[in-house]
Amino acid sequence: RAAARTPDAPALTAGARTWAYAELDAALQAFASGLAGLGLERTDRVGIWLDKRFETVVASFGAPAAGGVMVPMNPLLKPEQVVYIARDCNVRVLVTSPERWVLLAAGLATADGACPDLRHVVLTGPVPADAPRPGGVALHGWDDLLAAPARSGHRVIATDLVAILYTSGSTGR
């Protein structure tokens, strides 16, 4: 609504960089189209393991816009904890940075860390040629995903699940 009402108003600011609502809306619609292009099904989980950055906001709003369920993962978690969450809630797509992916891929390559539902990883930068691909996971660069042809996501209704939140709680994991 804010993008339609005040498209030029500032929506996000980090350091010297600011995006207007129109830019944010365009990015999250492009992200949602990119997820649809990857074959994201309604209620598929989209894990987000990033620090505070523009891509975090885009993925957090873009996943539900595509009909998926966002699974934000605390950026302070260790790779083993992220692997646990990804496996526990059947993450289909993971959004992370190239640096974090290297740490996470090592854990996913073990029998204990295998995440059979994970099909796609979206990196916030270009995909390095030597990037690990445990279990045949497809790697996608952020700009490539956002450049995918426009597609409509799944129909979203008021009772759809939007997010799965993991907390430390009293049970440890």
Side-chain angles (χ1 to χ4, degrees), residues 1-12 18-26:
R1 290 183 192 153
R5 190 174 53 248
T6 54
D8 297 325
L12 291 175
T18 298
W19 272 7
Y21 278 103
E23 291 173 283
L24 176 59
D25 184 56

Side-chain angles (χ1 to χ4, degrees), residues 41-61:
E41 295 290 332
R42 188 171 183 215
T43 73
D44 276 352
R45 279 53 166 161
V46 179
I48 304 165
W49 190 39
L50 292 170
D51 54 349
K52 293 177 183 179
R53 57 194 302 165
F54 283 67
E55 294 91 343
T56 307
V57 176
V58 170
S60 296
F61 285 95

